[in-house]
Amino acid sequence: MVYSWDCVNVVAFSVAGTLLCEFLSWLLIYRKSTYRQLVNSIKRTGTKLEQLKAENAGLENMSKSQKKKEDRLKELLKQDSFDLQKSKMTATVLTSVALLILYSVTSKSFSGKVVAKLPFQAFWPIKGATQRGIETEDLTDCAMTYIYVVCSAGLRPNIQKLLGFTPPRQMSTQNPFEPKQEEE
């Protein structure tokens, strides 16, 4: 039995799905001026906040005006990040639906087929994904689901970075669900 071509086909489906989703995201998000304005605002605000923190790094007590300015920048950064996430919501839902449809089509195409041999025996947490849809006692046999999920999870961030669609670095440091700190 040769598994390599089936495995390559699954990887190709995964890459095609990721590219399709990134194209949908470009159509719905990345090409719009509001997205670019929000990204630029997040970068600018993040840079100002980093500079302010660097200036105040050696100081034990910040003045009220410095603290207010820092709080204002943090709040602006949080609001811009929230607005950016809100603008991405529709595209996120549509790309999720597209990925689900592609997964079901791929799953039906490779139903019951062993597409790869793992170099290890699948242990219980991943056994469900590696053995899904195949009837075999060999724990090194691998179904399409495992390969598809691993490729999708590993390739999407890299493809986004390659296409220049990664979120601003300053945005990823902010947690919109973080409780607001009480002023002393």
Side-chain angles (χ1 to χ4, degrees):
M1 269 194 226
V2 175
Y3 305 111
S4 62
W5 290 113
D6 286 339
C7 187
V8 169
N9 287 337
V10 171
V11 171
F13 276 115
S14 178
V15 169
T18 301
L19 289 172
L20 172 71
C21 288
E22 290 308 312
F23 178 70
L24 283 174
S25 294
W26 179 79
L27 279 176
L28 298 172
I29 303 170
Y30 302 130
R31 69 187 181 118
K32 295 188 176 177
S33 62
T34 54
Y35 172 80
R36 287 191 295 263
Q37 289 170 351
L38 282 170
V39 167
N40 288 335
S41 176
I42 289 171
K43 286 179 182 178
R44 249 189 341 268
T45 306
T47 304
K48 286 179 184 177
L49 186 60
E50 287 172 3
Q51 288 173 348
L52 185 65
K53 284 183 177 183
E55 290 172 7
N56 298 329
L59 302 175
E60 287 186 25
N61 295 332
M62 289 192 301
S63 68
K64 281 187 175 184
S65 64
Q66 289 173 327
K67 184 144 181 68
K68 279 185 179 181
K69 186 175 182 180
E70 184 176 332
D71 290 343
R72 203 173 331 115
L73 287 173
K74 282 182 182 178
E75 193 58 39
L76 181 62
L77 189 59
K78 191 182 291 187
Q79 184 61 42
D80 285 346
S81 296
F82 178 76
D83 290 344
L84 186 62
Q85 290 301 330
K86 193 169 65 172
S87 72
K88 286 180 162 186
M89 188 59 70
T90 304
T92 301
V93 170
L94 287 176
T95 57
S96 297
V97 169
L99 282 175
L100 257 153
I101 291 169
L102 184 66
Y103 172 78
S104 69
V105 168
T106 307
S107 181
K108 286 178 184 173
S109 299
F110 293 98
S111 179
K113 287 185 182 178
V114 175
V115 297
K117 275 282 205 199
L118 297 174
F120 57 88
Q121 283 191 350
F123 47 98
W124 68 269
I126 64 167
K127 184 180 178 285
T130 61
Q131 301 283 301
R132 184 180 180 107
I134 57 174
E135 301 294 325
T136 181
E137 294 298 318
D138 187 2
L139 294 179
T140 61
D141 286 345
C142 185
M144 158 267 163
T145 302
Y146 182 72
I147 302 295
Y148 185 85
V149 168
V150 168
C151 286
S152 293
L155 292 175
R156 183 157 188 176
N158 292 317
I159 289 175
Q160 283 179 333
K161 187 179 272 189
L162 182 70
L163 296 174
F165 297 155
T166 54
R169 179 179 54 86
Q170 292 87 350
M171 185 181 137
S172 61
T173 61
Q174 294 296 313
N175 181 0
F177 303 109
E178 186 177 278
K180 196 170 189 176
Q181 294 177 350
E182 297 295 322
E183 290 190 27
E184 298 173 5

